[in-house]
Amino acid sequence: MRPRHLALAVGLAAVWGFNFVVMQVGLRHFPPLLYAGLRFTLAAFPVLLFVGRPGVPWRWVAAVASTIGVGQFGLLLIGMRAGMPAGLTSLVLQVQALFTVLFAVTLLGERLTARRVIGLGVAFGGLILVALDFGLSGPVGAFALCVAAAAAWGLGNVFQRRAAPPDSLRFMVWVSAFSAPPLLLLSLLVEGAPTLSSPMEGWVSLAYVAFVSTLGGFGLWGWLLRRYDASTVAPYTLLVPVFGMSSAALMTGEPISWVKVGAAALIVAGVLYAGSRPRALQPVLDR
């Protein structure tokens, strides 16, 4: 990658990592389902009027919206509201790669190679380490909700792979538009009548997650994917928990223990190994 494009990829990981701290701030002022619904409402409108059709069948837009929009973010925000720390959440969500592979093997018939089994086994070991550490001090239910959010994300990744949208930003706008109504309806049924009298801090949080993280982030992500192979760009998302945990430590005082560092190393290394390709054997020439 060119140096400026490399800087953009690292900057995008920083934006998505810091996003977890911003969401934690927003959850102080909005209930989780309402917060998610408002996020996707702002991300979709009025941009929806200018982007055109998604370029894929509507069933794939609905499938990704139900899994990633409603499932992932709904469960994620409820888990964070229940006590899951921002930095740790950014790390646990990386096991979406494990679920993505499992769903791809089950639903798409992809081959499960030995490299993937080893890599995902290592990543799963990191997840168990996080579970044991957090289970001693935090609510297990909140942790389980974040793992479920990662599973929903993994299933959504498989649907998005099948959809193969030509423009990721346009696709995300439509996914946001499909996600907002069910989230707002669920909020009304579960959380009661909405109260929008939030201080400026809450609205700034919503603006960040809607415009910077969702629209700007996925727009830049699509721009990079149009210029480079996915195998070149995707590993930079492994920096997200690094920025997530460090920003949470700096801004909220969330402690970083050696157990978390070890778990992060296992998860990142396992996901990276599972997604890499073995080097081709170079032929040995007789001299």
Side-chain angles (χ1 to χ4, degrees), residues 40-54 58 61 169-181 211 215:
F40 288 118
T41 300
L42 291 176
F45 302 100
V47 182
L48 189 68
L49 303 176
F50 305 100
V51 296
R53 295 168 68 89
W58 294 109
V61 178
L169 174 60
R170 185 170 59 193
F171 182 73
M172 181 51 60
V173 170
W174 279 103
V175 167
S176 298
F178 274 56
S179 301
F211 302 128
L215 292 181

Side-chain angles (χ1 to χ4, degrees), residues 14-173:
V15 166
W16 281 345
F18 183 61
N19 189 55
F20 290 90
V21 175
V22 175
M23 289 191 296
Q24 191 171 61
V25 171
L27 289 172
R28 299 173 187 166
H29 309 288
F30 296 99
L33 293 175
L34 177 62
Y35 184 77
L38 291 175
R39 168 192 182 156
F40 288 118
T41 300
L42 291 176
F45 302 100
V47 182
L48 189 68
L49 303 176
F50 305 100
V51 296
R53 295 168 68 89
V56 300
W58 294 109
R59 66 179 182 276
W60 294 121
V61 178
V64 174
S66 62
T67 50
I68 293 181
V70 179
Q72 178 201 344
F73 284 101
L75 294 168
L76 168 68
L77 292 170
I78 294 173
M80 292 182 68
R81 184 67 174 263
M84 192 71 175
L88 193 59
T89 301
S90 69
L91 174 61
V92 171
L93 276 184
Q94 292 306 307
V95 299
Q96 55 84 18
L98 186 153
F99 289 109
T100 299
V101 172
L102 294 178
F103 285 126
V105 170
T106 304
L107 301 178
L108 301 182
E110 293 189 3
R111 191 165 59 93
L112 191 60
T113 64
R115 176 175 289 263
R116 284 185 171 182
V117 172
I118 294 171
L120 295 177
V122 171
F124 188 68
L127 179 64
I128 292 176
L129 191 59
V130 172
L132 293 175
D133 180 58
F134 186 69
L136 297 175
S137 58
V140 177
F143 177 82
L145 285 169
C146 288
V147 174
W153 187 3
L155 183 57
N157 284 340
V158 172
F159 290 151
Q160 189 165 348
R161 186 180 302 177
R162 285 291 303 271
D167 187 320
S168 60
L169 174 60
R170 185 170 59 193
F171 182 73
M172 181 51 60
V173 170

Side-chain angles (χ1 to χ4, degrees), residues 157-254:
N157 284 340
V158 172
F159 290 151
Q160 189 165 348
R161 186 180 302 177
R162 285 291 303 271
D167 187 320
S168 60
L169 174 60
R170 185 170 59 193
F171 182 73
M172 181 51 60
V173 170
W174 279 103
V175 167
S176 298
F178 274 56
S179 301
L183 282 167
L184 293 174
L185 179 59
L186 284 171
S187 174
L188 182 63
L189 295 174
V190 176
E191 299 166 343
T195 301
L196 302 180
S197 58
S198 169
M200 182 60 64
E201 182 182 64
W203 292 107
V204 170
S205 169
L206 269 173
Y208 181 94
V209 299
F211 302 128
V212 179
S213 178
T214 302
L215 292 181
F218 281 97
L220 178 57
W221 179 253
W223 186 84
L224 288 171
L225 286 177
R226 286 195 296 271
R227 284 157 178 77
Y228 299 96
D229 293 337
S231 59
T232 300
V233 180
Y236 289 94
T237 61
L238 296 176
L239 294 174
V240 170
V242 175
F243 288 109
M245 294 176 70
S246 58
S247 60
L250 290 172
M251 302 198 68
T252 69
E254 182 180 331

